[in-house]
């Protein structure tokens, strides 16, 4: 019986290590941390950014998998968390699109010469409005 638990622990640790290595390799490939540090002119704090990412992953695992804690903080925290998560997902998706050269290919196929900033702004506004509609519509149910 104890051997079964040891085997499950080894499999779980191995699977978690593999998944986290894939996520961190994805972040490194996209170059998210150096880009954000460069854009915000805070390159001297890059080690702090990396530590925050690692600690966020550790704490996220603890809170979502192992601990059953409840935080009675109210709806304002849910809105704040949603805003932060949206910004995070937006940074990841734009970085991925930039690495894959999605926008130059899109501009070439649509035969656009100018307007990259406007196109990205309209895409972000559409995503934001769609998310607000989805969440506000589903919250009433």
């Amino acid at each position: 019986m104890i051997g079964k638990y040891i085997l499950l622990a080894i499999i779980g640790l191995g699977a978690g290590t593999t998944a986290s290595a894939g996520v961190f390799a994805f972040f490194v490939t996209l170059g998210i941390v150096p880009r954000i540090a460069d854009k915000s002119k805070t390159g001297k704090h890059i080690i702090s950014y990396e530590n925050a990412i690692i600690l966020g992953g550790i704490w996220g695992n603890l809170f979502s998998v192992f601990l059953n804690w409840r935080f009675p903080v109210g709806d304002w925290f849910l809105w704040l968390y949603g805003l932060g998560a949206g910004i995070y997902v937006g940074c990841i998706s734009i970085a991925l699109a930039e690495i894959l050269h999605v926008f130059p290919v899109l501009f070439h196929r649509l035969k656009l010469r100018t307007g990259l900033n406007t196109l990205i702004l309209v895409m972000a506004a559409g995503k934001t409005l769609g998310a607000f509609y989805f969440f506000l519509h589903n919250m009433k149910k």
Side-chain angles (χ1 to χ4, degrees):
M1 185 68 146
I2 190 96
K4 177 181 172 182
Y5 290 123
I6 291 173
L7 179 64
L8 286 174
I10 291 171
I11 291 171
L13 185 62
T17 302
T18 304
S20 66
V23 169
F24 286 118
F26 184 63
F27 282 170
V28 168
T29 301
L30 293 179
I32 293 170
V33 176
R35 179 167 297 266
I36 290 176
D38 182 46
K39 294 291 184 186
S40 64
K41 309 250 188 297
T42 56
K44 61 185 175 187
H45 300 292
I46 199 160
I47 299 296
S48 298
Y49 288 149
E50 292 171 353
N51 288 337
I53 290 171
I54 292 168
L55 289 175
I58 292 169
W59 281 104
N61 272 332
L62 288 176
F63 286 125
S64 67
V65 176
F66 298 111
L67 302 177
N68 194 15
W69 291 356
R70 301 276 188 245
F71 293 105
V73 291
D75 289 344
W76 67 270
F77 184 76
L78 182 62
W79 284 92
L80 184 65
Y81 178 79
L83 177 66
I87 290 170
Y88 171 78
V89 169
C91 286
I92 294 286
S93 62
I94 290 295
L96 181 61
E98 187 175 323
I99 291 296
L100 297 176
H101 304 291
V102 170
F103 295 116
V105 170
L106 178 68
F107 269 41
H108 179 71
R109 289 192 180 173
L110 294 177
K111 295 179 178 37
L112 295 174
R113 300 284 180 235
T114 59
L116 177 62
N117 293 338
T118 306
L119 179 66
I120 291 176
L121 182 64
V122 169
M123 288 170 54
K127 178 73 173 167
T128 302
L129 291 174
F132 275 136
Y133 175 77
F134 174 77
F135 287 115
L136 292 176
H137 181 70
N138 285 339
M139 292 293 178
K140 292 179 183 176
K141 289 183 179 182

